[in-house]
PDB file of all heavy atoms in Angstrom:
ATOM      1  N   VAL A  39     -25.034  25.594  13.499  1.00  0.00           N
ATOM      2  CA  VAL A  39     -23.744  26.164  13.034  1.00  0.00           C
ATOM      3  C   VAL A  39     -22.736  25.082  12.981  1.00  0.00           C
ATOM      4  O   VAL A  39     -21.913  25.086  12.026  1.00  0.00           O
ATOM      5  CB  VAL A  39     -23.299  27.248  14.069  1.00  0.00           C
ATOM      6  CG1 VAL A  39     -22.010  27.835  13.684  1.00  0.00           C
ATOM      7  CG2 VAL A  39     -24.361  28.411  14.044  1.00  0.00           C
ATOM      8  N   TYR A  40     -22.665  24.123  14.036  1.00  0.00           N
ATOM      9  CA  TYR A  40     -21.747  23.102  13.945  1.00  0.00           C
ATOM     10  C   TYR A  40     -21.992  22.227  12.754  1.00  0.00           C
ATOM     11  O   TYR A  40     -21.024  21.822  12.077  1.00  0.00           O
ATOM     12  CB  TYR A  40     -21.952  22.254  15.244  1.00  0.00           C
ATOM     13  CG  TYR A  40     -21.062  22.718  16.395  1.00  0.00           C
ATOM     14  CD1 TYR A  40     -21.686  23.105  17.551  1.00  0.00           C
ATOM     15  CD2 TYR A  40     -19.728  22.798  16.256  1.00  0.00           C
ATOM     16  CE1 TYR A  40     -20.963  23.603  18.715  1.00  0.00           C
ATOM     17  CE2 TYR A  40     -18.921  23.258  17.365  1.00  0.00           C
ATOM     18  CZ  TYR A  40     -19.556  23.666  18.574  1.00  0.00           C
ATOM     19  OH  TYR A  40     -18.863  24.148  19.566  1.00  0.00           O
ATOM     20  N   LEU A  43     -20.485  23.784   9.727  1.00  0.00           N
ATOM     21  CA  LEU A  43     -19.012  23.629   9.737  1.00  0.00           C
ATOM     22  C   LEU A  43     -18.602  22.231   9.417  1.00  0.00           C
ATOM     23  O   LEU A  43     -17.565  21.976   8.767  1.00  0.00           O
ATOM     24  CB  LEU A  43     -18.460  24.136  11.035  1.00  0.00           C
ATOM     25  CG  LEU A  43     -18.559  25.650  11.321  1.00  0.00           C
ATOM     26  CD1 LEU A  43     -18.075  25.950  12.730  1.00  0.00           C
ATOM     27  CD2 LEU A  43     -17.841  26.338  10.289  1.00  0.00           C
ATOM     28  N   VAL A  46     -18.769  21.757   5.744  1.00  0.00           N
ATOM     29  CA  VAL A  46     -17.678  22.230   5.097  1.00  0.00           C
ATOM     30  C   VAL A  46     -16.352  21.338   5.153  1.00  0.00           C
ATOM     31  O   VAL A  46     -15.653  21.078   4.251  1.00  0.00           O
ATOM     32  CB  VAL A  46     -17.256  23.650   5.745  1.00  0.00           C
ATOM     33  CG1 VAL A  46     -15.967  24.170   5.140  1.00  0.00           C
ATOM     34  CG2 VAL A  46     -18.453  24.625   5.451  1.00  0.00           C
ATOM     35  N   LEU A  63      -8.917  20.039 -10.573  1.00  0.00           N
ATOM     36  CA  LEU A  63      -9.917  21.081 -10.974  1.00  0.00           C
ATOM     37  C   LEU A  63     -11.286  20.933 -10.200  1.00  0.00           C
ATOM     38  O   LEU A  63     -11.783  21.920  -9.570  1.00  0.00           O
ATOM     39  CB  LEU A  63     -10.117  21.168 -12.464  1.00  0.00           C
ATOM     40  CG  LEU A  63     -11.027  22.271 -12.893  1.00  0.00           C
ATOM     41  CD1 LEU A  63     -10.375  23.631 -12.657  1.00  0.00           C
ATOM     42  CD2 LEU A  63     -11.453  22.147 -14.398  1.00  0.00           C
ATOM     43  N   VAL A  66     -10.773  21.688  -6.389  1.00  0.00           N
ATOM     44  CA  VAL A  66     -10.752  23.067  -6.065  1.00  0.00           C
ATOM     45  C   VAL A  66     -12.022  23.898  -6.308  1.00  0.00           C
ATOM     46  O   VAL A  66     -12.503  24.711  -5.540  1.00  0.00           O
ATOM     47  CB  VAL A  66      -9.583  23.843  -6.739  1.00  0.00           C
ATOM     48  CG1 VAL A  66      -9.886  24.264  -8.229  1.00  0.00           C
ATOM     49  CG2 VAL A  66      -9.047  24.979  -5.983  1.00  0.00           C
ATOM     50  N   MET A  70     -14.302  26.058  -3.861  1.00  0.00           N
ATOM     51  CA  MET A  70     -14.785  27.389  -4.252  1.00  0.00           C
ATOM     52  C   MET A  70     -16.226  27.592  -4.223  1.00  0.00           C
ATOM     53  O   MET A  70     -16.838  28.544  -3.629  1.00  0.00           O
ATOM     54  CB  MET A  70     -14.255  27.728  -5.653  1.00  0.00           C
ATOM     55  CG  MET A  70     -13.047  28.639  -5.649  1.00  0.00           C
ATOM     56  SD  MET A  70     -12.578  29.040  -7.415  1.00  0.00           S
ATOM     57  CE  MET A  70     -13.550  30.554  -7.628  1.00  0.00           C
ATOM     58  N   ALA A  73     -18.058  25.060  -0.743  1.00  0.00           N
ATOM     59  CA  ALA A  73     -17.726  25.546   0.661  1.00  0.00           C
ATOM     60  C   ALA A  73     -17.662  27.077   0.581  1.00  0.00           C
ATOM     61  O   ALA A  73     -18.039  27.698   1.678  1.00  0.00           O
ATOM     62  CB  ALA A  73     -16.304  24.996   0.959  1.00  0.00           C
ATOM     63  N   MET A  77     -22.269  27.321   1.160  1.00  0.00           N
ATOM     64  CA  MET A  77     -22.326  27.223   2.564  1.00  0.00           C
ATOM     65  C   MET A  77     -22.329  28.436   3.222  1.00  0.00           C
ATOM     66  O   MET A  77     -22.861  28.657   4.442  1.00  0.00           O
ATOM     67  CB  MET A  77     -21.122  26.320   3.148  1.00  0.00           C
ATOM     68  CG  MET A  77     -21.289  24.860   2.777  1.00  0.00           C
ATOM     69  SD  MET A  77     -22.985  24.223   3.229  1.00  0.00           S
ATOM     70  CE  MET A  77     -22.984  24.367   4.979  1.00  0.00           C
ATOM     71  N   LEU A  81     -25.000  29.683   6.109  1.00  0.00           N
ATOM     72  CA  LEU A  81     -24.720  30.237   7.353  1.00  0.00           C
ATOM     73  C   LEU A  81     -25.388  31.595   7.494  1.00  0.00           C
ATOM     74  O   LEU A  81     -25.898  31.896   8.620  1.00  0.00           O
ATOM     75  CB  LEU A  81     -23.206  30.498   7.502  1.00  0.00           C
ATOM     76  CG  LEU A  81     -22.346  29.371   8.131  1.00  0.00           C
ATOM     77  CD1 LEU A  81     -20.878  29.738   8.306  1.00  0.00           C
ATOM     78  CD2 LEU A  81     -22.966  29.036   9.485  1.00  0.00           C
ATOM     79  N   PHE A  82     -25.607  32.362   6.489  1.00  0.00           N
ATOM     80  CA  PHE A  82     -26.428  33.649   6.452  1.00  0.00           C
ATOM     81  C   PHE A  82     -27.829  33.239   6.955  1.00  0.00           C
ATOM     82  O   PHE A  82     -28.343  33.849   7.877  1.00  0.00           O
ATOM     83  CB  PHE A  82     -26.440  34.231   5.122  1.00  0.00           C
ATOM     84  CG  PHE A  82     -25.467  35.346   4.929  1.00  0.00           C
ATOM     85  CD1 PHE A  82     -24.179  35.264   5.458  1.00  0.00           C
ATOM     86  CD2 PHE A  82     -25.855  36.495   4.226  1.00  0.00           C
ATOM     87  CE1 PHE A  82     -23.255  36.272   5.235  1.00  0.00           C
ATOM     88  CE2 PHE A  82     -24.846  37.437   4.040  1.00  0.00           C
ATOM     89  CZ  PHE A  82     -23.613  37.399   4.622  1.00  0.00           C
ATOM     90  N   MET A  85     -27.893  32.327  10.640  1.00  0.00           N
ATOM     91  CA  MET A  85     -27.643  33.407  11.482  1.00  0.00           C
ATOM     92  C   MET A  85     -28.943  34.269  11.597  1.00  0.00           C
ATOM     93  O   MET A  85     -29.187  34.810  12.660  1.00  0.00           O
ATOM     94  CB  MET A  85     -26.551  34.311  10.957  1.00  0.00           C
ATOM     95  CG  MET A  85     -25.112  33.777  11.356  1.00  0.00           C
ATOM     96  SD  MET A  85     -23.837  34.419  10.239  1.00  0.00           S
ATOM     97  CE  MET A  85     -24.044  36.151  10.430  1.00  0.00           C
ATOM     98  N   ASP A  88     -31.611  32.137  13.501  1.00  0.00           N
ATOM     99  CA  ASP A  88     -31.130  31.560  14.861  1.00  0.00           C
ATOM    100  C   ASP A  88     -31.815  30.247  15.037  1.00  0.00           C
ATOM    101  O   ASP A  88     -32.455  30.070  16.113  1.00  0.00           O
ATOM    102  CB  ASP A  88     -31.471  32.517  15.858  1.00  0.00           C
ATOM    103  CG  ASP A  88     -30.409  32.360  17.057  1.00  0.00           C
ATOM    104  OD1 ASP A  88     -29.440  31.720  16.768  1.00  0.00           O
ATOM    105  OD2 ASP A  88     -30.633  32.841  18.036  1.00  0.00           O
ATOM    106  N   GLN A  90     -30.596  27.614  15.908  1.00  0.00           N
ATOM    107  CA  GLN A  90     -29.888  27.013  17.022  1.00  0.00           C
ATOM    108  C   GLN A  90     -30.774  27.005  18.290  1.00  0.00           C
ATOM    109  O   GLN A  90     -30.851  26.015  19.066  1.00  0.00           O
ATOM    110  CB  GLN A  90     -28.690  27.869  17.391  1.00  0.00           C
ATOM    111  CG  GLN A  90     -27.622  27.121  18.113  1.00  0.00           C
ATOM    112  CD  GLN A  90     -26.411  27.917  18.400  1.00  0.00           C
ATOM    113  OE1 GLN A  90     -26.118  28.895  17.685  1.00  0.00           O
ATOM    114  NE2 GLN A  90     -25.752  27.667  19.511  1.00  0.00           N
ATOM    115  N   GLY A 142      -2.190  15.896 -13.783  1.00  0.00           N
ATOM    116  CA  GLY A 142      -2.898  16.968 -13.178  1.00  0.00           C
ATOM    117  C   GLY A 142      -3.193  18.172 -14.162  1.00  0.00           C
ATOM    118  O   GLY A 142      -4.206  18.659 -14.397  1.00  0.00           O
ATOM    119  N   ALA A 143      -2.033  18.576 -14.853  1.00  0.00           N
ATOM    120  CA  ALA A 143      -2.118  19.692 -15.718  1.00  0.00           C
ATOM    121  C   ALA A 143      -2.990  19.404 -16.931  1.00  0.00           C
ATOM    122  O   ALA A 143      -3.768  20.165 -17.465  1.00  0.00           O
ATOM    123  CB  ALA A 143      -0.692  20.068 -16.270  1.00  0.00           C
ATOM    124  N   VAL A 146      -7.237  20.025 -16.430  1.00  0.00           N
ATOM    125  CA  VAL A 146      -8.028  21.220 -16.846  1.00  0.00           C
ATOM    126  C   VAL A 146      -8.402  21.221 -18.259  1.00  0.00           C
ATOM    127  O   VAL A 146      -9.640  21.550 -18.548  1.00  0.00           O
ATOM    128  CB  VAL A 146      -7.160  22.483 -16.463  1.00  0.00           C
ATOM    129  CG1 VAL A 146      -8.028  23.771 -16.733  1.00  0.00           C
ATOM    130  CG2 VAL A 146      -6.718  22.519 -14.979  1.00  0.00           C
TER     131      VAL A 146
ATOM    132  N   ASN C 339     -19.945  30.894  22.412  1.00  0.00           N
ATOM    133  CA  ASN C 339     -19.473  29.527  22.428  1.00  0.00           C
ATOM    134  C   ASN C 339     -17.833  29.556  22.458  1.00  0.00           C
ATOM    135  O   ASN C 339     -17.323  30.033  21.457  1.00  0.00           O
ATOM    136  CB  ASN C 339     -19.985  28.794  21.167  1.00  0.00           C
ATOM    137  CG  ASN C 339     -19.509  27.350  21.016  1.00  0.00           C
ATOM    138  OD1 ASN C 339     -18.435  27.037  21.389  1.00  0.00           O
ATOM    139  ND2 ASN C 339     -20.420  26.510  20.548  1.00  0.00           N
ATOM    140  N   PHE C 341     -15.519  27.467  21.912  1.00  0.00           N
ATOM    141  CA  PHE C 341     -14.797  26.688  20.797  1.00  0.00           C
ATOM    142  C   PHE C 341     -14.916  27.518  19.518  1.00  0.00           C
ATOM    143  O   PHE C 341     -13.896  27.725  18.837  1.00  0.00           O
ATOM    144  CB  PHE C 341     -15.440  25.424  20.642  1.00  0.00           C
ATOM    145  CG  PHE C 341     -14.861  24.626  19.480  1.00  0.00           C
ATOM    146  CD1 PHE C 341     -13.486  24.168  19.476  1.00  0.00           C
ATOM    147  CD2 PHE C 341     -15.635  24.385  18.285  1.00  0.00           C
ATOM    148  CE1 PHE C 341     -13.000  23.521  18.304  1.00  0.00           C
ATOM    149  CE2 PHE C 341     -15.065  23.753  17.235  1.00  0.00           C
ATOM    150  CZ  PHE C 341     -13.696  23.316  17.192  1.00  0.00           C
ATOM    151  N   LEU C 342     -16.131  28.024  19.144  1.00  0.00           N
ATOM    152  CA  LEU C 342     -16.329  28.690  17.873  1.00  0.00           C
ATOM    153  C   LEU C 342     -15.595  30.044  17.970  1.00  0.00           C
ATOM    154  O   LEU C 342     -15.056  30.553  16.953  1.00  0.00           O
ATOM    155  CB  LEU C 342     -17.822  28.904  17.650  1.00  0.00           C
ATOM    156  CG  LEU C 342     -18.645  27.594  17.184  1.00  0.00           C
ATOM    157  CD1 LEU C 342     -20.052  27.948  16.866  1.00  0.00           C
ATOM    158  CD2 LEU C 342     -17.983  26.910  16.135  1.00  0.00           C
ATOM    159  N   PRO C 382      -1.659  22.227 -10.633  1.00  0.00           N
ATOM    160  CA  PRO C 382      -1.963  22.802 -11.926  1.00  0.00           C
ATOM    161  C   PRO C 382      -3.100  23.832 -11.948  1.00  0.00           C
ATOM    162  O   PRO C 382      -3.256  24.505 -12.935  1.00  0.00           O
ATOM    163  CB  PRO C 382      -2.327  21.602 -12.821  1.00  0.00           C
ATOM    164  CG  PRO C 382      -2.771  20.649 -11.801  1.00  0.00           C
ATOM    165  CD  PRO C 382      -2.028  20.820 -10.552  1.00  0.00           C
ATOM    166  N   ILE C 383      -3.845  23.936 -10.778  1.00  0.00           N
ATOM    167  CA  ILE C 383      -4.879  24.911 -10.801  1.00  0.00           C
ATOM    168  C   ILE C 383      -4.608  25.917  -9.706  1.00  0.00           C
ATOM    169  O   ILE C 383      -5.442  26.485  -9.065  1.00  0.00           O
ATOM    170  CB  ILE C 383      -6.234  24.292 -10.397  1.00  0.00           C
ATOM    171  CG1 ILE C 383      -6.116  23.065  -9.392  1.00  0.00           C
ATOM    172  CG2 ILE C 383      -6.897  23.602 -11.664  1.00  0.00           C
ATOM    173  CD1 ILE C 383      -6.048  23.365  -8.035  1.00  0.00           C
ATOM    174  N   LEU C 386      -6.664  29.037  -8.844  1.00  0.00           N
ATOM    175  CA  LEU C 386      -8.025  28.809  -8.325  1.00  0.00           C
ATOM    176  C   LEU C 386      -7.865  28.341  -6.810  1.00  0.00           C
ATOM    177  O   LEU C 386      -8.767  28.636  -5.990  1.00  0.00           O
ATOM    178  CB  LEU C 386      -8.740  27.630  -8.999  1.00  0.00           C
ATOM    179  CG  LEU C 386      -9.305  28.093 -10.379  1.00  0.00           C
ATOM    180  CD1 LEU C 386      -9.832  26.796 -11.167  1.00  0.00           C
ATOM    181  CD2 LEU C 386     -10.389  29.019 -10.238  1.00  0.00           C
ATOM    182  N   PHE C 387      -6.812  27.696  -6.434  1.00  0.00           N
ATOM    183  CA  PHE C 387      -6.515  27.327  -5.084  1.00  0.00           C
ATOM    184  C   PHE C 387      -6.568  28.496  -4.086  1.00  0.00           C
ATOM    185  O   PHE C 387      -7.027  28.601  -3.058  1.00  0.00           O
ATOM    186  CB  PHE C 387      -5.240  26.500  -5.019  1.00  0.00           C
ATOM    187  CG  PHE C 387      -5.041  26.016  -3.570  1.00  0.00           C
ATOM    188  CD1 PHE C 387      -5.517  24.871  -3.151  1.00  0.00           C
ATOM    189  CD2 PHE C 387      -4.170  26.631  -2.686  1.00  0.00           C
ATOM    190  CE1 PHE C 387      -5.287  24.342  -1.853  1.00  0.00           C
ATOM    191  CE2 PHE C 387      -3.928  26.258  -1.427  1.00  0.00           C
ATOM    192  CZ  PHE C 387      -4.456  25.072  -1.060  1.00  0.00           C
ATOM    193  N   ALA C 390      -9.963  29.725  -3.799  1.00  0.00           N
ATOM    194  CA  ALA C 390     -10.715  28.909  -2.805  1.00  0.00           C
ATOM    195  C   ALA C 390     -10.467  29.130  -1.400  1.00  0.00           C
ATOM    196  O   ALA C 390     -11.264  29.248  -0.469  1.00  0.00           O
ATOM    197  CB  ALA C 390     -10.429  27.417  -3.135  1.00  0.00           C
ATOM    198  N   MET C 394     -12.714  30.430   1.754  1.00  0.00           N
ATOM    199  CA  MET C 394     -12.748  29.803   3.054  1.00  0.00           C
ATOM    200  C   MET C 394     -12.545  30.719   4.192  1.00  0.00           C
ATOM    201  O   MET C 394     -12.990  30.584   5.314  1.00  0.00           O
ATOM    202  CB  MET C 394     -11.721  28.648   3.217  1.00  0.00           C
ATOM    203  CG  MET C 394     -11.907  27.485   2.239  1.00  0.00           C
ATOM    204  SD  MET C 394     -13.423  26.726   2.477  1.00  0.00           S
ATOM    205  CE  MET C 394     -13.243  26.087   4.136  1.00  0.00           C
ATOM    206  N   TYR C 397     -15.315  32.306   6.444  1.00  0.00           N
ATOM    207  CA  TYR C 397     -15.862  31.616   7.678  1.00  0.00           C
ATOM    208  C   TYR C 397     -15.295  32.242   8.946  1.00  0.00           C
ATOM    209  O   TYR C 397     -16.054  32.315   9.872  1.00  0.00           O
ATOM    210  CB  TYR C 397     -15.555  30.149   7.596  1.00  0.00           C
ATOM    211  CG  TYR C 397     -16.397  29.449   6.595  1.00  0.00           C
ATOM    212  CD1 TYR C 397     -15.874  29.072   5.293  1.00  0.00           C
ATOM    213  CD2 TYR C 397     -17.722  29.178   6.852  1.00  0.00           C
ATOM    214  CE1 TYR C 397     -16.700  28.422   4.396  1.00  0.00           C
ATOM    215  CE2 TYR C 397     -18.562  28.575   5.955  1.00  0.00           C
ATOM    216  CZ  TYR C 397     -18.024  28.239   4.668  1.00  0.00           C
ATOM    217  OH  TYR C 397     -18.754  27.669   3.810  1.00  0.00           O
ATOM    218  N   VAL C 400     -17.445  35.321   9.442  1.00  0.00           N
ATOM    219  CA  VAL C 400     -18.818  34.972   9.711  1.00  0.00           C
ATOM    220  C   VAL C 400     -18.980  34.513  11.152  1.00  0.00           C
ATOM    221  O   VAL C 400     -19.792  34.887  11.901  1.00  0.00           O
ATOM    222  CB  VAL C 400     -19.403  33.962   8.770  1.00  0.00           C
ATOM    223  CG1 VAL C 400     -20.678  33.477   9.130  1.00  0.00           C
ATOM    224  CG2 VAL C 400     -19.473  34.659   7.340  1.00  0.00           C
ATOM    225  N   LEU C 401     -18.054  33.590  11.554  1.00  0.00           N
ATOM    226  CA  LEU C 401     -18.116  33.010  12.815  1.00  0.00           C
ATOM    227  C   LEU C 401     -17.874  34.040  13.899  1.00  0.00           C
ATOM    228  O   LEU C 401     -18.549  34.055  14.985  1.00  0.00           O
ATOM    229  CB  LEU C 401     -17.049  31.892  12.948  1.00  0.00           C
ATOM    230  CG  LEU C 401     -17.512  30.510  12.405  1.00  0.00           C
ATOM    231  CD1 LEU C 401     -16.407  29.464  12.746  1.00  0.00           C
ATOM    232  CD2 LEU C 401     -18.819  30.064  13.148  1.00  0.00           C
ATOM    233  N   TYR C 404     -20.870  36.037  14.450  1.00  0.00           N
ATOM    234  CA  TYR C 404     -22.078  35.256  14.929  1.00  0.00           C
ATOM    235  C   TYR C 404     -21.895  34.867  16.332  1.00  0.00           C
ATOM    236  O   TYR C 404     -22.802  35.058  17.160  1.00  0.00           O
ATOM    237  CB  TYR C 404     -22.207  34.047  14.011  1.00  0.00           C
ATOM    238  CG  TYR C 404     -23.336  33.134  14.540  1.00  0.00           C
ATOM    239  CD1 TYR C 404     -24.623  33.547  14.304  1.00  0.00           C
ATOM    240  CD2 TYR C 404     -23.113  31.922  15.258  1.00  0.00           C
ATOM    241  CE1 TYR C 404     -25.737  32.695  14.768  1.00  0.00           C
ATOM    242  CE2 TYR C 404     -24.139  31.123  15.659  1.00  0.00           C
ATOM    243  CZ  TYR C 404     -25.390  31.578  15.403  1.00  0.00           C
ATOM    244  OH  TYR C 404     -26.454  30.749  15.908  1.00  0.00           O
ATOM    245  N   LEU C 412     -22.340  41.387  14.889  1.00  0.00           N
ATOM    246  CA  LEU C 412     -23.098  40.636  13.880  1.00  0.00           C
ATOM    247  C   LEU C 412     -23.225  41.631  12.616  1.00  0.00           C
ATOM    248  O   LEU C 412     -22.971  41.065  11.513  1.00  0.00           O
ATOM    249  CB  LEU C 412     -24.465  40.280  14.466  1.00  0.00           C
ATOM    250  CG  LEU C 412     -25.275  39.398  13.647  1.00  0.00           C
ATOM    251  CD1 LEU C 412     -24.652  38.066  13.494  1.00  0.00           C
ATOM    252  CD2 LEU C 412     -26.728  39.374  14.050  1.00  0.00           C
ATOM    253  N   CYS C 415     -19.991  41.781  10.764  1.00  0.00           N
ATOM    254  CA  CYS C 415     -19.674  40.606  10.001  1.00  0.00           C
ATOM    255  C   CYS C 415     -20.475  40.553   8.729  1.00  0.00           C
ATOM    256  O   CYS C 415     -19.963  40.045   7.672  1.00  0.00           O
ATOM    257  CB  CYS C 415     -19.789  39.368  10.898  1.00  0.00           C
ATOM    258  SG  CYS C 415     -21.048  38.212  10.492  1.00  0.00           S
ATOM    259  N   LEU C 416     -21.718  40.973   8.761  1.00  0.00           N
ATOM    260  CA  LEU C 416     -22.628  40.884   7.559  1.00  0.00           C
ATOM    261  C   LEU C 416     -22.017  41.866   6.520  1.00  0.00           C
ATOM    262  O   LEU C 416     -21.912  41.524   5.404  1.00  0.00           O
ATOM    263  CB  LEU C 416     -24.026  41.349   7.864  1.00  0.00           C
ATOM    264  CG  LEU C 416     -24.895  40.268   8.613  1.00  0.00           C
ATOM    265  CD1 LEU C 416     -26.193  40.913   9.099  1.00  0.00           C
ATOM    266  CD2 LEU C 416     -25.098  39.179   7.582  1.00  0.00           C
ATOM    267  N   THR C 419     -18.749  40.356   5.215  1.00  0.00           N
ATOM    268  CA  THR C 419     -18.951  39.221   4.304  1.00  0.00           C
ATOM    269  C   THR C 419     -19.502  39.625   2.905  1.00  0.00           C
ATOM    270  O   THR C 419     -19.005  39.212   1.914  1.00  0.00           O
ATOM    271  CB  THR C 419     -19.952  38.194   4.954  1.00  0.00           C
ATOM    272  OG1 THR C 419     -19.654  38.048   6.264  1.00  0.00           O
ATOM    273  CG2 THR C 419     -19.870  36.932   4.236  1.00  0.00           C
TER     274      THR C 419
END
Side-chain angles (χ1 to χ4, degrees):
Chain A
V39 177
Y40 274 119
L43 291 177
V46 172
L63 182 68
V66 82
M70 256 184 93
M77 285 315 292
L81 268 184
F82 262 39
M85 278 160 58
D88 206 17
Q90 204 181 332
V146 181
Chain C
N339 178 326
F341 175 69
L342 293 182
I383 37 81
L386 284 177
F387 184 85
M394 295 300 294
Y397 286 102
V400 171
L401 275 182
Y404 177 75
L412 189 67
C415 112
L416 281 172
T419 316

